[in-house]
């Protein structure tokens, strides 16, 4: 019995010693592994910016950077991932600032798989806290949260001649893609198609495009060029019309509502002029050649809004039917009638403004008198004769030493005295006749 008891005691003691030995060995191994990991310095990939808010449809740059934490490295393999349903790579660029001087393989990326890969060497090695590996330009193609992360397959190798792999921390960036406010609505008008044109239609009709996801529109109409409509829906349609607008410059303002955001305001000018140009009176002058005469018609007017576009001239023979319509020819002032004035004509000046409004003004042109033609033809000669006669009278008066004028005064005085005597004799005769009759 004693032998059995001693045997059991020895067996239990051996088991306890074995357990203690294994536990001590395991603990020693664990401690060694933790210490070795802590002794290794890690290189860190990080992105700049790490967090960003961008608009749908816009592009933004992300820089992939490396911190070597005091260790010299000479090789970098960067692999990253992005959500292809929200982001697309547009381009990449070292921009002359990357510490990579030799690319081991051409930089590649896939907008289908949502991956990118860049492998490069630094022949003399580099020790950096924020060294640029590559700049990548992304385009935000859909709203939501997009995460760009460096994959665990990325590697960094020490510049120790042995190609020792450096422990790595893998960075990530989070980008919030917000809905883009709708851009200005594209507005059209069949009644007023040109923004800079004037029109005599005061009932404009306007239409506009409706982009995807747009649900509502807010609009207003006034005489101010920069009005912004309120954030209340006026219509879901793409057409509106207005009637009886006053003459002048109007502006149609509209903005769209898409994905909970009101967009930018578009402004469409409407130039309305329904009034004709200002009234005027044409002037007629005659050009004579011998016994023939031609008429020269001068005219001018203004239009306060649209402005005068052009003039047209039409001529009617007044000896013909009053129902006859003239043929209008575009012309400028002064306008010479292409026919000789041998009978009476009516000349119609038609003014058309830039809005299409028309004003007709007429003037009658008749055959000028012979004396008028003679005066118009010989005006200079007549003036010379009159001036010569005046000069001759003055010369004669000077040469006669005023005797001529004195004689004229004496003769005039004698004639007046004689006239008074005759009047006195007549009065005496009348008195004698009256006494006789009595």
């Amino acid at each position: 019995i004693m032998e059995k008891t001693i045997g059991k005691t020895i067996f239990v003691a051996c088991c306890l010693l074995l357990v203690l030995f294994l536990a001590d060995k395991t603990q020693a191994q664990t401690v060694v592994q933790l210490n070795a990991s802590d002794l290794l310095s890690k290189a860190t990939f990080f992105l700049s910016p790490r967090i960003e808010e961008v608009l749908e449809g816009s592009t933004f740059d992300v820089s992939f950077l490396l911190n070597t934490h005091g260790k010299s490295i000479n090789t970098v393999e960067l692999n990253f991932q992005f959500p292809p349903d929200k982001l697309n790579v547009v381009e990449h660029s070292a921009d002359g600032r990357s510490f990579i001087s030799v690319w081991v393989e051409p930089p590649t990326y896939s907008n289908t798989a949502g991956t990118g890969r860049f492998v490069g060497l630094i022949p003399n090695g580099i020790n950096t806290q924020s060294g640029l590996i590559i700049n990548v330009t992304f385009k935000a193609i859909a709203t939501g949260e997009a995460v760009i992360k460096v994959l665990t397959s990325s590697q960094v190798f020490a510049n120790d001649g042995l190609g020792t792999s450096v422990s790595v921390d893998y960075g990530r960036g989070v980008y919030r893609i917000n809905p883009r406010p709708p851009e200005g609505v594209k507005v059209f008008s069949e009644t007023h198609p040109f923004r800079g044109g004037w029109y005599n239609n005061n009932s404009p009709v306007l239409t506009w495009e409706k982009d995807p996801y747009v649900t509502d529109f807010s609009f207003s109409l006034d005489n101010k060029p920069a009005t912004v409509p309120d954030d209340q829906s006026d219509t879901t349609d793409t057409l509106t019309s207005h009637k009886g607008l006053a003459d002048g410059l109007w502006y149609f303002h509209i903005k769209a509502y898409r994905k909970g955001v009101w967009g930018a305001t578009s402004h469409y000018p409407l130039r309305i002029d329904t009034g004709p140009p200002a009234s005027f009176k044409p002037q007629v002058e005659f050009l004579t050649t011998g016994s023939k005469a031609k008429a020269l018609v001068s005219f001018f007017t203004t239009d306060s809004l649209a402005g005068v576009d052009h003039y047209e001239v039409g001529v009617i023979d007044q000896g013909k039917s009053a129902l006859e319509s003239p043929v209008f020819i575009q012309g400028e002032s002064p306008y010479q009638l292409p026919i000789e004035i041998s009978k009476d004509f009516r000349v119609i000046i038609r003014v058309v403004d830039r809005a299409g409004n028309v004003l007709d003004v007429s003037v009658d042109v008749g055959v000028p008198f012979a004396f008028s033609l003679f005066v118009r033809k010989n005006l200079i000669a007549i003036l010379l004769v009159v001036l010569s006669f005046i000069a001759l009278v003055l010369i004669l008066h000077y040469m006669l030493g005023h005797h001529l004028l004195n004689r004229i005064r004496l003769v005039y005085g004698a004639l007046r005295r004689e006239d008074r005597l005759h009047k006195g004799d007549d009065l005496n005769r009348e008195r004698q006749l009256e006494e006789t009759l009595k």
Side-chain angles (χ1 to χ4, degrees), residues 2-3 58 110 142 216 218 223 281 341 392:
M2 289 292 295
E3 291 179 356
S58 66
S110 170
D216 297 270
S218 176
N223 301 110
K281 184 177 181 180
I341 307 303
L392 179 61

Side-chain angles (χ1 to χ4, degrees), residues 91-267:
E91 62 180 359
H92 62 270
S93 171
D95 204 19
R97 298 185 293 115
S98 173
F99 62 75
I100 303 294
S101 57
V102 178
W103 294 103
V104 176
E105 57 185 68
T108 59
Y109 58 85
S110 170
N111 284 325
T112 302
T115 57
R117 174 180 171 81
F118 301 89
V119 182
L121 298 177
I122 309 97
N124 298 319
I126 190 172
N127 182 349
T128 179
Q129 291 184 346
S130 59
L132 175 67
I133 302 172
I134 197 74
N135 273 329
V136 180
T137 301
F138 291 91
K139 182 175 182 179
I141 59 175
T143 59
E145 185 177 88
V147 177
I148 303 173
K149 59 184 179 180
V150 178
L151 298 176
T152 56
S153 58
S154 301
Q155 301 182 77
V156 178
F157 296 93
N159 185 34
D160 58 1
L162 300 175
T164 303
S165 178
V166 178
S167 181
V168 176
D169 280 337
Y170 308 99
R172 68 200 295 264
V174 179
Y175 306 93
R176 180 68 186 174
I177 305 173
N178 297 320
R180 174 182 288 276
E183 297 180 356
V185 182
K186 295 181 180 179
V187 183
F188 309 93
S189 176
E190 292 185 0
T191 57
H192 298 68
F194 299 105
R195 290 173 175 262
W198 286 88
Y199 299 89
N200 56 15
N201 183 346
N202 62 354
S203 299
V205 177
L206 298 119
T207 59
W208 52 87
E209 290 183 353
K210 188 174 185 178
D211 292 336
Y213 306 108
V214 169
T215 57
D216 297 270
F217 298 95
S218 176
F219 64 81
S220 63
L221 180 70
D222 58 27
N223 301 110
K224 300 176 182 179
T227 299
V228 177
D230 58 28
D231 293 342
Q232 301 295 323
S233 175
D234 292 308
T235 184
T236 59
D237 294 330
T238 58
L239 181 145
T240 187
S241 61
H242 302 268
K243 294 183 178 181
L245 297 183
D247 285 1
L249 181 56
W250 293 82
Y251 293 93
F252 177 72
H253 318 279
I254 185 170
K255 62 183 182 181
Y257 186 75
R258 179 168 70 96
K259 294 183 178 180
V261 180
W262 285 102
T265 302
S266 294
H267 310 280

